[in-house]
Structure formats: structure tokens, C-alpha cells
Amino acid sequence: MPPKRTSGGGAQSASPAHPVVTTLLLVGAVGWGLGLLVHKGMLAWPPARLVSSLATVAGCLALVGPVVVARSGKLGGGLGELIWTTGGLLIWIFNLVAVADGGLKDLDWATPLGPRTMGLIILAVTLAGLRAGPNGRDWSWTNVTGWALGLFWIAAGLAAWVLVPGSGLAAALAAR
């Protein structure tokens, strides 16, 4: 007779998420992001506004992040999952606050925060998570996706701070 599993001892819950539902969530998020880009006229060749287009798709993926990570069935997760969940919750919260304040018309659902704000918040979460957060090397797809989104947001935030004329480091270098 196989040994019984206790609820607190394993890394997986008894009923992991059904992969079809997770796939539908992810395909729906990417499809919605691409649909937003087509609607805004931003999806063209050559991709002149590639970073903002990627930010829209990343924002749509972030919106489903908390649901996907919660459905994964894992009790403990990696830092990438923390980053993905945090990014998604930030977008959800800022969207809900904007709707509550009556800003429904002007709301950019996928990217309510600017790249600098989102990048710096995710940088803080990443640094704090590296110091005190989840340990170990988790190569699950949810963790890797979270890391990819986090690194994109950090890079976009730093680029907005460094490269945008008239602000941040670009202004300090131009003043010389």
C-alpha cells in the first residue's frame, strides 16, 4: 500500500490545474494583446514602436499571471512566479482604481503604469526577493515566464530613465 500524502508535506497540491484552461488563458491574453495593438494601429512592419508593443503584450500576460500561478497547484513558488503575480496584481489594482475614479475612457488596460514606474517596482520586488524570497532553482514554465516578464519590465524601466530626453540620466548627461 502506497504511503499517504499529508497536506503540508508536498510541493504540489492534490489537484493541479487543467492544462487546457491554462493554455486558453495564455492564448487569450496574447491574442488580446495583439488585438489591442491592431486596434491602436501599432502592429506594423517594420516595428517602429517595438518596446511599447511588447509592453502591451507583457501587460496582457501579467493580467492572467495571478490566475495562472494560483492554478498551477504549487504551494511554494520561485521568484519568477512572485514577479509575475506582483506585476499582474499591480495592473489589476491600478485598473480597478482607475475605474473607481471614473477614468474608464482613458484607461490603458494592459499598461496602466508607465514603463519607469513598473520597471522600478519590479526591480524592487526582484531585489527583495533575491535577498529574502524563495530559494532554490525552479525551472518551471511559470517561474521562467515570470523572470522573462520581470527582466523586460526592469530593462524597459531603466531604458525609460536613461534614454528619455529631458529626464533622469539623459538630462544630466545633456547638461554637461
Side-chain angles (χ1 to χ4, degrees), residues 149-168:
L149 287 171
L151 293 175
F152 169 77
W153 284 321
I154 292 168
L158 292 176
W161 179 66
V162 171
L163 301 176
V164 173
S167 65

Side-chain angles (χ1 to χ4, degrees), residues 32 36 54-66 83-99 107-114 118 121-122 149 152-153:
W32 184 48
L36 284 173
L54 290 175
T56 299
V57 175
C60 290
L61 274 175
L63 283 169
V64 299
I83 293 168
W84 192 5
T85 303
T86 302
L89 290 175
L90 278 170
I91 293 173
W92 274 107
I93 290 168
F94 273 82
N95 284 340
L96 291 174
V97 168
V99 168
L107 183 60
D108 189 0
W109 289 96
T111 55
L113 298 164
M118 187 67 155
I121 291 171
I122 296 301
L149 287 171
F152 169 77
W153 284 321

Side-chain angles (χ1 to χ4, degrees), residues 8-115:
Q12 296 275 339
S13 70
S15 60
H18 199 276
V20 173
V21 175
T22 302
T23 303
L24 288 175
L25 285 170
L26 292 173
V27 169
V30 171
W32 184 48
L34 293 175
L36 284 173
L37 294 176
V38 168
H39 178 70
K40 293 179 181 180
M42 293 174 54
L43 197 61
W45 191 259
R49 295 168 44 184
L50 182 62
V51 174
S52 62
S53 298
L54 290 175
T56 299
V57 175
C60 290
L61 274 175
L63 283 169
V64 299
V67 177
V68 170
V69 171
R71 289 180 46 80
S72 71
K74 293 170 64 172
L75 296 177
L79 181 55
E81 292 166 337
L82 175 66
I83 293 168
W84 192 5
T85 303
T86 302
L89 290 175
L90 278 170
I91 293 173
W92 274 107
I93 290 168
F94 273 82
N95 284 340
L96 291 174
V97 168
V99 168
D101 287 344
L104 188 60
K105 255 187 212 176
D106 302 326
L107 183 60
D108 189 0
W109 289 96
T111 55
L113 298 164

